[in-house]
Amino acid sequence: MNQQGNKARQQVELAIEAQGLVKRFGDNRAVDGVDLKVPTGTIYGVLGPNGAGKTTAIRMLATLLRPDGGYARIFGHDVVKEPQIVRQLIGVTGQYASVDESLSATENLVIFSRLLGLGRADAKRKAAELLEEFGLSEAARRPLKNFSGGMRRRLDLAASLIAQPPLIFLDEPTTGLDPRTRNQMWDTIRRLVGSGSTVLLTTQYLEEADQLADRIAVIDHGRVVAEGTVDALKSSIGSSSLHLRVRDSQQMMLARQTVERVLRVQTSISAEASAITAPMGNADAVTDLLIALREAGIPLSEMSVQKPTLDEVFLSLTGSNTGDNAVQASGKEKQVEGQQYEYIH
Amino acid sequence: MSTFIKPGAERQLKNHSSFGQTLRNSLTMAYRGLLKIKRTPEQLFDVTLQPIIFTLMFTYIFGGAISGDVVSYLPVIIPGILVQTVITTSIVTGVQLREDMEKGVFDRFKSLPISRIAPLAGALLADTVRYTIATVLTFTMGYFMGYRPEGGLGYVAIAALLVIGCSWAISWIFAFFGVIARTASSVQGISMIVLFPLTFMSNAFVPADTMPDWLQWFVTINPISHLVTAVRDLTNTGTAGSDLVFSLIGAAVIVAVFAPITVRAYMRRT
């Protein structure tokens, strides 16, 4: 016990510390040994595709699910042994809005405020304050049935902030929102951290993690496959990627060899097996590549430079892609390896 | 967000909720339940129509056959129909709880540092409004049909409170079904199968002495019979006997058993 107490005190600067978290649903290991360390005062992004285990991991950290293995501490408090303390330190905003559909926005916030121990007058004032801040004052009295998706999300986030928790979980806060509302949500999240909160957010979008997060963990099949700062992860896959289509598919292999030789990277062939994809650090190299391709007599039907997609992050980080013909950029994988898992074992 | 948030590590926190907090949280949750009823008043159809229809129907169907005429059957049937109606109403508690729990808002309740029992206790407490409506309507119907309880208004009020209290206790059973069942309709199904025999294999509608011995034995141990007898004693003679004590003990036992297991099942359910 004593030892544990000391350990907790040493690590108080960590908002979240999870080690070997496991959750099984039947035979399916939804979360299969997740380790996380989230420093206080940062935005931490958990990136992964649908079904990767992001939500399950958050639910365990937020005391909504009991882990089958491993442990997690929130500001040094164990989520299983001291759940009621943990709940006083967190705010949770789920993937779907966790507010009462049949009540109005004000009624929702007043009820949550009252539950958190505010008096009748204080609860009303707090509700009005939050509605004002989230631009919902005009809709305050309307039943939520008529709210748009963005308004619901904002109300949901407002409800999570009543107690001013030092740690906030946001599970895919912008999924399904239009770009303008999404930007508003991003601003709100940034302001939150500015006031001293720590935010853990999950997302399917690399851009979102890029915009907001200080550090990112990439989760796939219930495991953390990479962890590091945004810059480190980005440089591991190149800041952008090159897509090429050759006019004559007979020349596919030759084109691929040329790209690998000129850019000195591993390439992959997309799922449809007609395009070559390569990570690209330096856009100037494209000129050399085009010249080389012309010299080799390979006509192109299409060429584009794109920001890396989540698929490509996975391709280069996990080596497992959704497409069968995927060839991993294994040379780049090693680079991140040094930055991840330094705290394991 | 203008104020700086106090760091998590510097907060002094307790890992349990006090009795006072439990009570406050439950009352807030009950307030939520009342707001919901206010927003969707159509959910009160069953508690308004059932007492009216059942009281009319049972009294005129059974009255002549059992007591010779309708008016002398009223002191027997009104307490019986009251108990049957109000307890049946408590099934809805479980059904609505199931529907409510499907919604995202229950996730928030679970993630708040509130008493674990509050979302359930509050929902159940709000439903006593439904029982009160059913009780008042049943007595009113009886009055229109000529029922004049000998015990007087005071004892009728006590009887009403007894029925409402016992139904609240019994609603914990249905709340438990509500928490463990997969769908709302299955809650309705299971609950009816339990409740239908319990209310009919009692002295609620007919005197037990014409029944076969084994059934009489069941009727005498059936808690519903004790509750019906307690209500009859109170309303018809203004007396409180052992049946009242049995009813209250029964109610307390039900809450003591079902409240904890319901909360545990609720917490485990994701």
Side-chain angles (χ1 to χ4, degrees):
Chain A
M1 276 312 274
N2 223 344
Q3 220 173 4
Q4 254 181 7
N6 285 334
K7 208 176 168 194
R9 236 163 285 138
Q10 280 165 20
Q11 292 169 343
V12 281
E13 76 277 8
L14 286 178
I16 302 173
E17 186 200 4
Q19 185 85 59
L21 273 187
V22 174
K23 185 70 199 178
R24 279 182 293 266
F25 296 117
D27 288 338
N28 172 28
R29 292 169 82 90
V31 171
D32 194 7
V34 161
D35 308 300
L36 285 177
K37 281 190 177 185
V38 179
T40 300
T42 59
I43 302 184
Y44 195 94
V46 174
L47 192 64
N50 276 331
K54 302 188 299 284
T55 301
T56 309
I58 277 208
R59 290 179 67 86
M60 284 192 280
L61 295 174
T63 76
L64 294 172
L65 262 185
R66 205 185 161 88
D68 291 327
Y71 69 84
R73 298 203 188 100
I74 306 296
F75 294 107
H77 298 285
D78 191 287
V79 293
V80 176
K81 291 186 199 114
E82 304 171 292
Q84 201 69 349
I85 289 184
V86 169
R87 288 179 197 121
Q88 291 169 65
L89 296 167
I90 60 170
V92 187
T93 297
Q95 245 176 70
Y96 39 84
S98 30
V99 284
D100 223 316
E101 291 286 314
S102 48
L103 305 183
S104 75
T106 306
E107 284 165 346
N108 263 293
L109 292 181
V110 166
I111 285 172
F112 296 136
S113 304
R114 298 277 287 155
L115 286 173
L116 287 164
L118 269 65
R120 208 179 295 259
D122 284 343
K124 277 201 180 122
R125 199 176 316 128
K126 189 83 196 176
E129 202 180 290
L130 284 167
L131 289 170
E132 173 77 43
E133 190 174 325
F134 283 83
L136 293 167
S137 295
E138 278 172 37
R141 293 181 168 279
R142 277 195 276 149
L144 256 50
K145 290 184 190 94
N146 312 324
F147 269 40
S148 70
M151 287 162 83
R152 257 172 240 233
R153 291 288 175 85
R154 294 213 299 276
L155 179 65
D156 203 15
L157 185 55
S160 303
L161 302 181
I162 292 167
Q164 297 197 311
L167 173 62
I168 294 156
F169 293 105
L170 301 172
D171 196 5
E172 303 199 2
T174 63
T175 301
L177 296 188
D178 62 68
R180 199 172 64 98
T181 331
R182 197 184 55 185
N183 281 325
Q184 285 174 354
M185 192 60 112
W186 287 353
D187 285 341
T188 311
I189 295 169
R190 287 196 194 97
R191 268 190 295 150
L192 270 176
V193 175
S195 68
S197 279
T198 307
V199 172
L200 182 121
L201 71 92
T202 70
T203 181
Q204 301 185 40
Y205 310 122
L206 186 62
E207 194 200 349
E208 182 158 283
D210 193 1
Q211 284 280 335
L212 293 173
D214 301 302
R215 285 182 85 83
I216 293 178
V218 181
I219 290 194
D220 192 26
H221 298 298
R223 293 182 151 274
V224 177
V225 294
E227 202 270 352
T229 63
V230 179
D231 288 342
L233 288 178
K234 266 165 70 179
S235 68
S236 74
I237 52 163
S239 57
S240 50
S241 65
L242 178 72
H243 296 261
L244 284 181
R245 263 175 224 274
V246 290
R247 198 175 294 162
D248 181 1
S249 58
Q250 300 285 319
Q251 293 178 313
M252 194 74 159
M253 284 318 291
L254 181 61
R256 200 173 161 195
Q257 282 159 12
T258 312
V259 173
E260 295 192 355
R261 180 169 48 79
V262 176
L263 297 181
R264 289 187 203 86
V265 291
Q266 298 272 328
T267 60
S268 59
I269 300 190
S270 71
E272 312 87 68
S274 60
I276 299 167
T277 306
M280 200 175 64
N282 178 6
D284 287 344
V286 176
T287 326
D288 299 339
L289 176 65
L290 290 176
I291 292 168
L293 284 170
R294 193 204 279 165
E295 279 169 358
I298 305 169
L300 298 174
S301 66
E302 196 185 315
M303 194 207 85
S304 63
V305 178
Q306 289 171 4
K307 287 262 180 199
T309 63
L310 191 56
D311 267 354
E312 283 154 355
V313 177
F314 275 18
L315 186 66
S316 55
L317 291 177
T318 67
S320 65
N321 191 35
T322 39
D324 295 331
N325 300 330
V327 180
Q328 64 196 41
S330 53
K332 289 288 167 185
E333 194 182 347
K334 304 246 159 46
Q335 232 178 343
V336 236
E337 208 103 74
Q339 290 149 3
Q340 59 177 324
Y341 292 143
E342 64 255 24
Y343 47 82
I344 291 187
H345 309 304
Chain B
M1 267 174 272
S2 45
T3 47
F4 202 77
I5 288 165
K6 193 175 176 187
E10 289 168 22
R11 299 187 183 202
Q12 293 294 317
L13 303 164
K14 279 185 298 195
N15 194 29
H16 64 272
S17 21
S18 65
F19 179 73
Q21 193 200 350
T22 304
L23 201 64
R24 273 198 309 279
N25 290 163
S26 301
L27 288 174
T28 307
M29 293 303 295
Y31 168 70
R32 167 181 176 267
L34 291 181
L35 273 180
K36 281 174 85 88
I37 292 177
K38 201 174 110 188
R39 282 292 147 86
T40 46
E42 60 270 24
Q43 59 171 294
L44 291 177
F45 275 158
D46 63 328
V47 291
T48 45
L49 293 180
Q50 194 179 331
I52 296 171
I53 294 168
F54 275 35
T55 311
L56 282 171
M57 201 172 73
F58 278 95
T59 311
Y60 287 113
I61 291 173
F62 294 143
I66 292 166
S67 302
D69 64 277
V70 167
V71 173
S72 46
Y73 183 50
L74 283 170
V76 180
I77 186 66
I78 293 295
I81 206 98
L82 175 71
V83 170
Q84 196 255 355
T85 303
V86 178
I87 287 178
T88 310
T89 302
S90 68
I91 291 180
V92 179
T93 302
V95 178
Q96 287 187 342
L97 195 62
R98 171 75 270 151
E99 288 172 351
D100 218 13
M101 279 175 58
E102 317 259 295
K103 292 174 188 148
V105 70
F106 261 71
D107 256 2
R108 181 172 299 286
F109 293 144
K110 279 196 220 168
S111 74
L112 290 177
I114 58 172
S115 153
R116 299 292 93 188
I117 201 175
L120 300 171
L124 268 58
L125 203 57
D127 273 343
T128 54
V129 170
R130 305 165 54 83
Y131 312 151
T132 309
I133 294 172
T135 304
V136 169
L137 280 174
T138 306
F139 275 128
T140 311
M141 280 308 291
Y143 185 83
F144 283 141
M145 293 164 78
Y147 179 47
R148 299 290 179 271
E150 302 276 319
L153 200 59
Y155 281 99
V156 170
I158 294 172
L161 284 178
L162 175 68
V163 173
I164 293 166
C166 289
S167 298
W168 179 80
I170 290 168
S171 70
W172 277 105
I173 301 176
F174 303 122
F176 178 66
F177 292 156
V179 170
I180 61 166
R182 236 187 287 233
T183 62
S185 59
S186 64
V187 179
Q188 178 92 26
I190 303 168
S191 305
M192 279 312 283
I193 284 170
V194 174
L195 208 54
F196 207 73
L198 266 180
T199 48
F200 275 87
M201 285 156 76
S202 74
N203 60 1
F205 304 104
V206 293
D209 42 21
T210 59
M211 298 176 190
D213 287 348
W214 60 270
L215 191 54
Q216 280 196 35
W217 169 81
F218 181 77
V219 168
T220 44
I221 62 152
N222 186 347
I224 302 282
S225 301
H226 289 290
L227 181 56
V228 171
T229 309
V231 173
R232 278 186 192 138
D233 287 349
L234 285 166
T235 54
N236 297 335
T237 60
T239 54
S242 58
D243 287 301
L244 177 67
V245 178
F246 281 136
S247 305
L248 290 175
I249 291 173
V253 168
I254 288 171
V255 176
V257 172
F258 278 89
I261 64 169
T262 308
V263 172
R264 274 190 58 178
Y266 162 70
M267 284 314 297
R268 204 172 305 161
R269 184 121 191 164
T270 54

